[in-house]
Amino acid sequence: MVSRVIPVDTFDLVIFGGTGDLARRKIFPGLYRRFMAGQMNADSRIIGAARAKNSDEQFRAMIHDSLLEFVPKDRQDDKVIEAFLARIDYVSIDAKEESGWTKLKSTVRANVVRAFYFSVAPALFGDLAERLHAHAITDATSRVVVEKPFGRDLATAKALNATLAKYFAETQIYRIDHYLGKETVQNLMAVRFANILFEPIWKAQYIDHVQITVAETVGVDGRGAYYDKSGAMRDMVQNHMMQLLCLIAMEPPYHFDPDAVRDEKLKVIRALEPVTVNDIVRGQYLAGGGEGGYIEHSENPNSKTESYVALRVNVANWRWKGTPFYLRTGKRLRARYSEIAITFKEPPHSIFDDAKGWKANVLVIRLQPNEGMNLMVMIKEPGPGGMRLMQVPLDMTFADALGQDAEDVPDAYERLIMDVIRGNQTLFMRGDEVEAAWAWTDPIIQGWEARGDKPQDYDAGSSGPEDALMLLHKDGRRWREIKG
Ligand code: NAD
């Protein structure tokens, strides 16, 4: 099945940090794919802006190299690449200096959608916003896209919101959380709210617990000094995993509309109970598999930053009272594996003698690898052996079910950038949402900092620290396997 591509309006997209890692690895390859699909029209333009003194040609050559490196070979078409590169310009600009802004102003057209992607360190957001405004490059119709991290605590997030609010209305600000751009994550909403099947049982009465796992095999080698100031809680839980939790736990919005969806997510965040010390396990990976451990990678021999965290989270409202949400994320784990697993309760009464064979229904939403869903259901074991039960998956790997080449499923970044051009904020975080998430996260981090807690060691290539297993065992449950 070929998915429908609806072209977006003509745009000028300025990418500050256009020479950076994110721009070269994700943003430009994503835009190329949208151009190839016909969604970005041939009149739209992308303007790279960064400090380096590149000519347009030098910058295009750099982007050409990035496309060859990051676009799959069978999607590299010389003619399309040439036409795409012709849509790219470059302006040398320093966020903290005055030069370059006049050139940028004359480069950006007034009569098209104007978007400004801040793919630079957040410390520069204020400078960029101020200069864009001072040089009248933006107006009330312009959009700004800001990258994570959005603050490192409530105070810094508030300050960042206040700075942006000086120059832009909330409806102009697109705070990226690329997890929300994932096909499966949006499918979570479709499955919940476009079917009658799940919603009546989507509550504590029928759901035993929820597990959210984001496991990575890579460590922090090469960016250890940066990561050491962040840690798994700030880097993954406060933003990405919180967003996933919200989409599972939220009430049905009255409409699939930016504020209706974000209002419901905000209510979930506000309903999160404080997490006690017994509900948290933090870890640091050890050396192994020919690689150094966290301590070596972080370059800080006394580091207490966690490369792994597991939490038990309770949502204190009528729908979820009594159903814990277990979250875990870590680096250097057994496999690169992300999923949400919703485990249902036992039927109230069994008519079968085969009690041993019974297993809980689980709805698994897989984010990677192979985005898709699985519903584990009980059936009769085939054959004449009597009524014995077994569990089988109702498997829906999207690429298979839709007859799609996995390469054709748009990447989160390309989808989100197209939403910016369309002016649709549904999949972007609102300022009050981010602040509420920090308001819940801050006391947790402050708690372990005040206690001086040191994370537990865990083996590289394992499922995480031993105590993380205990977190579920003491509730009579177990983590699902992190599969390779
Ligand atoms: P990077 O260090 O590779 O690139 C930084 C870019 O900012 C460069 O283009 C540089 O020229 C530009 N820059 C630096 N100082 C500047 C100044 N004074 N004026 C103008 N431009 C300046 O960083 P990155 O990895 O591309 O990350 C960019 C942003 O995206 C950061 O906020 C980062 O946290 C976020 N982010 C990155 C990734 C990733 O995978 N790389 C993922 C998520 C979020």
Side-chain angles (χ1 to χ4, degrees), residues 17-23 25 50-51 93-96 119-122 124 147-149 226 413:
T19 56
D21 173 71
L22 183 69
R25 222 161 28 84
R51 270 187 309 187
I93 225 161
D94 190 320
K96 292 189 170 294
S119 180
V120 295
L124 297 174
E147 262 300 335
K148 80 168 209 183
Y226 160 80
Y413 276 95

Side-chain angles (χ1 to χ4, degrees), residues 159-178:
L160 214 45
N161 275 334
T163 304
L164 292 172
K166 271 199 243 167
Y167 307 103
F168 303 104
E170 181 62 33
T171 48
Q172 296 179 272
I173 304 168
Y174 291 73
R175 295 175 192 77
I176 285 236
D177 185 319
H178 71 274

Side-chain angles (χ1 to χ4, degrees), residues 310-327:
L311 303 154
R312 181 194 10 234
V313 179
N314 294 313
V315 184
N317 61 21
W318 276 47
R319 188 188 278 263
W320 293 114
K321 188 74 190 168
T323 295
F325 286 68
Y326 300 100
L327 276 47

